[in-house]
């Protein structure tokens, strides 16, 4: 085998969960940050299923792409992210799931609470610009999906009298 020290898990084809959900259940609870790669893109149904897999692992599992990191936060406890982890990210977007999420707070280092809001399913919070410090994301009730966005490289060109901003 190419990876002799890696445990292999044999899954039945007939099961009530996805392969990713089964794998996440097998991971030792002492791991507090699980980075999942190659879980988005391709088939939309697989990508959505993988995003919903985060709901069973709030504050613990992160779907990582070249441009984003996606995670879930529930009301059990806040998510703490270090300035080192956030160094390549420029903004954070939050989206409530399953109806309403209340008292969502984002605290950046010693800067205090950046945003408190009550959200409904059809609403998200405008992106919060990150300020290079640790952050804490908390949700008073409900469930929230967070998306960290890598810092884009913008360039501005003029078209007539209007600027056009592209990545």
């Amino acid at each position: 085998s190419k990876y002799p020290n890696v445990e292999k898990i044999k899954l039945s084809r007939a099961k009530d969960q996805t392969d990713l959900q089964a794998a996440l259940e097998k991971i030792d609870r002492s791991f507090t940050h699980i980075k999942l790669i190659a879980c988005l893109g391709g088939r939309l149904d697989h990508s959505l299923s993988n995003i919903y897999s985060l709901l069973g692992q709030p504050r613990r599992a992160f779907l990582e792409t070249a441009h984003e990191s996606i995670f879930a936060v529930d009301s059990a406890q806040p998510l703490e992210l270090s300035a080192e982890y956030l160094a390549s990210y420029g903004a954070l977007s939050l989206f409530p799931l399953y109806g309403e999420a209340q008292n969502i707070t984002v605290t950046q280092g010693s800067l205090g609470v950046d945003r408190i809001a009550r959200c409904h399913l059809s609403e998200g919070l405008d992106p919060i610009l990150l300020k290079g410090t640790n952050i804490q994301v908390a949700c008073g009730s409900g469930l929230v999906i967070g998306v960290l966005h890598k810092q884009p490289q913008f360039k501005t060109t003029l078209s007539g009298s209007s600027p056009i901003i592209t990545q």
Side-chain angles (χ1 to χ4, degrees):
S1 170
K2 186 174 182 179
Y3 302 100
N5 296 327
V6 175
E7 178 186 358
K8 289 150 190 75
I9 304 167
K10 184 144 176 107
L11 300 174
S12 168
R13 286 191 173 272
K15 58 189 180 307
D16 291 329
Q17 59 187 177
T18 67
D19 292 348
L20 178 59
Q21 289 166 338
L24 287 170
E25 284 183 4
K26 299 283 186 187
I27 295 174
D28 186 326
R29 280 294 192 200
S30 66
F31 290 99
T32 58
H33 187 107
I34 304 166
K35 185 184 289 191
L36 304 166
I37 57 173
C39 293
L40 297 174
R43 288 181 45 180
L44 182 58
D45 59 333
H46 287 190
S47 293
L48 288 172
S49 175
N50 290 338
I51 290 170
Y52 274 94
S53 294
L54 294 175
L55 306 182
Q57 303 287 328
R59 301 167 310 282
R60 186 170 179 235
F62 294 76
L63 291 176
E64 305 272 344
T65 73
H67 305 286
E68 286 116 7
S69 178
I70 305 169
F71 58 88
V73 177
D74 63 8
S75 59
Q77 72 181 71
L79 169 66
E80 308 265 349
L81 295 170
S82 70
E84 294 78 23
Y85 177 76
L86 296 168
S88 63
Y89 296 102
L92 167 66
S93 297
L94 298 170
F95 303 93
L97 290 177
Y98 302 130
E100 182 174 283
Q102 296 182 3
N103 299 323
I104 298 167
T105 61
V106 177
T107 306
Q108 297 200 51
S110 61
L111 302 173
V113 174
D114 195 351
R115 186 75 51 93
I116 300 178
R118 177 181 169 157
C119 295
H120 298 278
L121 180 62
S122 62
E123 303 172 22
L125 293 176
D126 289 335
I128 298 166
L129 296 178
L130 300 177
K131 300 173 180 161
T133 64
N134 298 345
I135 66 168
Q136 180 187 75
V137 180
C139 179
S141 67
L143 185 63
V144 175
I145 289 286
V147 181
L148 289 164
H149 308 278
K150 295 272 176 134
Q151 296 179 357
Q153 302 299 318
F154 291 109
K155 57 184 176 186
T156 304
T157 58
L158 289 177
S159 173
S161 60
S162 301
I164 298 172
I165 300 174
T166 57
Q167 283 189 316

